[in-house]
Amino acid sequence: MDVERVIDELYGLRPSDFTAARDAYVAEARRAKDTRAAKTIAALRRPPLAVWAANLLARERPEEAERFLGLGEVLREAHRTLDGEALREASRQRNRLVAALVRTTAGLAEEAGQHPSDAVLGDVETILHAVLALPDVAGPWAKGRLTAMPESAVGFPAAPEGTPPARPPAAARARKAPGERAAARARETSAAAAAAEAEKARNAAAEAKATLVRRERERDAAREAEAAATETARKAADRLRRADRERAEAEEAAAEADRAAAEAGTALRTAGHALDEARTAAEHAEEKARRAGG
């Protein structure tokens, strides 16, 4: 079995279709005695709706996905070199592009028969920020095979005002006076600290947002569980009421049957007495007839 083809197909399916298709492929691999394929496919997990939608974007809009991945490379390089101007420009592009891609993803999901909520689209935005920041998220996403939400919302901070451009070549730095070099190092250190602090704050905010989304999902799940429990209780109460009615009807039928049986017993006894009287009368008549004839 071509496991790569199967994986690619499964992660292109809607989440509601994933499990049945995966299990069918596992069964097929087992029938073919392809143990390795069966084990690999059985280990695949259904992606959450937001992950599926993000994968759908990468699959359906490969050119836009490629440009987005390129922006991630630019951002990572700008952060590595602390190039303030490049950071600011890439950050502006990032914000515009992420917002546009979230809207595109919503449209693609609607076309595929899904209706993502605001919380789901918020998760899509989280995924896109992680794609920009983390190559190990960008790789699977580019193939449309991302399997789960990133553990945390990871992104880049905006470049702080006053962040210096990328450091000049070593020869140029060597020509600076000692005082200038010290001032430059101080500015770079200050900018790096500001960037690190901004990134820490952004990650904390993203973590808070991710926690909020999780809590909303937990609340929604609790509501669904409550509704299901209420419906189960209602059905049980209906069954109990029906059982009470049926028991009452059965008790009434039993009582009626007892009355009918009693009446039948009385009628039987009356008929028996009448039969005895008739038999006695017949015997007397026969005896009287014999006497008359003799």
Side-chain angles (χ1 to χ4, degrees), residues 190-254:
S190 176
E197 188 62 29
E199 183 170 6
K200 181 179 178 181
R202 179 181 177 83
N203 286 341
E207 285 286 357
K209 179 180 178 182
T211 300
L212 175 61
V213 171
R214 286 195 300 272
R215 295 294 179 263
E216 288 176 344
R217 285 198 293 262
E218 291 169 0
R219 179 202 60 198
D220 292 343
R223 284 177 176 173
E224 292 177 2
E226 180 188 19
T230 300
E231 179 64 13
T232 300
R234 186 190 63 79
K235 290 180 179 179
D238 287 344
R239 288 195 298 271
L240 180 60
R241 284 193 292 272
R242 286 197 298 271
D244 287 342
R245 286 196 300 270
E246 290 169 359
R247 182 180 64 228
E249 291 171 357
E251 289 174 350
E252 184 177 349

